Structure formats: C-alpha cells, structure tokens
Amino acid sequence: MRVEILGQERRRRWREKDKLAIVTSVGEAGATITEIARRHDVTRQQIYAWRSELKKKGLLSASANALFIPVDLNAVQTDVPELRESCCGMIELRLSCGRTLRFESSVAPDILTQVIRAVEAA
C-alpha cells in the first residue's frame, strides 16, 4: 500500500530568528497580530506562544514597549516609617491595561497608587 500526500505539509519547523522576526513585526506600521499571522500562515495563538517562549529564553525583551513615567518618590511622605523599613522584597503587579509593574514592597501605597493611575492613563 502506498500513500501519497498532496498539498503543503502543515507541520513546519521555525528557526528562532524567524520566530523573533515574526513576533517583532507585530505593531510595526500598525500591523496587528491577525495580519501578521495571515501573512506568515500561522495562527494568532502560535505568535502568542512564540512571544512567551522568546521572553523566557531572554531573546525578546519583556519590556519592548516600555513607557517610562517620571515619579518623584520624595513628593509624598509616609506617616509610618516603621512599615517602610519592615517590608522587603519585590512585588509584580499585572494591571488591567495589560502592563506589568515591578516594585519593592517598601513603596508607599499612596505613591504606588499615583504610579498605577499614571500608567493606566498612558
């Protein structure tokens, strides 16, 4: 019995540099993930998976579209200095706008509130 496959084979192997080129092309000249997926004949989910994979490998910056907002940490004084000194460690906060904030746990809540409002407004 002989089997013949007609048409294009669907399982393809992508090199990391090709994945990186596809993932970074999203947003260039307003290109959406859907447009990029159609252009390269892959699914949107595949592009999201590649993005995650490349970030984990350190090949794609997690903050490629980072927006830096100046914040004067001395502008707001906290009334509880003991609280500030007793806490330590880093906190990662994922905002509803899809952005991620990383900060030390000793940051005063009122300052953090100002930062979150500024980031979500941008």
Side-chain angles (χ1 to χ4, degrees):
M1 177 180 207
R2 191 171 109 174
V3 176
E4 197 173 326
I5 299 174
L6 301 175
Q8 181 181 16
E9 180 185 357
R10 293 304 303 162
R11 183 160 190 113
R12 293 174 282 176
R13 308 268 187 242
W14 295 87
R15 295 178 301 188
E16 284 189 347
K17 72 176 195 172
D18 296 330
K19 292 178 187 179
L20 187 61
I22 291 170
V23 168
T24 56
S25 66
V26 174
E28 289 180 357
T32 65
I33 287 189
T34 301
E35 293 168 347
I36 298 300
R38 284 186 189 139
R39 185 179 310 156
H40 296 283
D41 195 28
V42 296
T43 64
R44 293 176 317 166
Q45 292 79 7
Q46 187 65 58
I47 293 176
Y48 287 120
W50 287 347
R51 181 189 292 170
S52 177
E53 172 191 329
L54 293 168
K55 283 181 184 178
K56 286 179 185 174
K57 290 181 178 180
L59 298 174
L60 183 66
S61 173
S63 59
N65 297 323
L67 175 65
F68 293 96
I69 301 171
V71 176
D72 183 6
L73 296 178
N74 297 321
V76 180
Q77 298 296 323
T78 180
D79 295 334
V80 189
E82 302 85 28
L83 178 64
R84 185 174 265 210
E85 293 172 5
S86 67
C87 298
C88 60
M90 293 295 291
I91 296 175
E92 181 174 298
L93 178 65
R94 295 182 190 264
L95 302 175
S96 60
C97 62
R99 295 190 175 119
T100 302
L101 293 178
R102 290 182 189 94
F103 52 91
E104 291 184 13
S105 60
S106 60
V107 173
D110 46 353
I111 293 175
L112 184 56
T113 301
Q114 291 175 5
V115 171
I116 292 171
R117 286 182 181 150
V119 169
E120 286 190 332

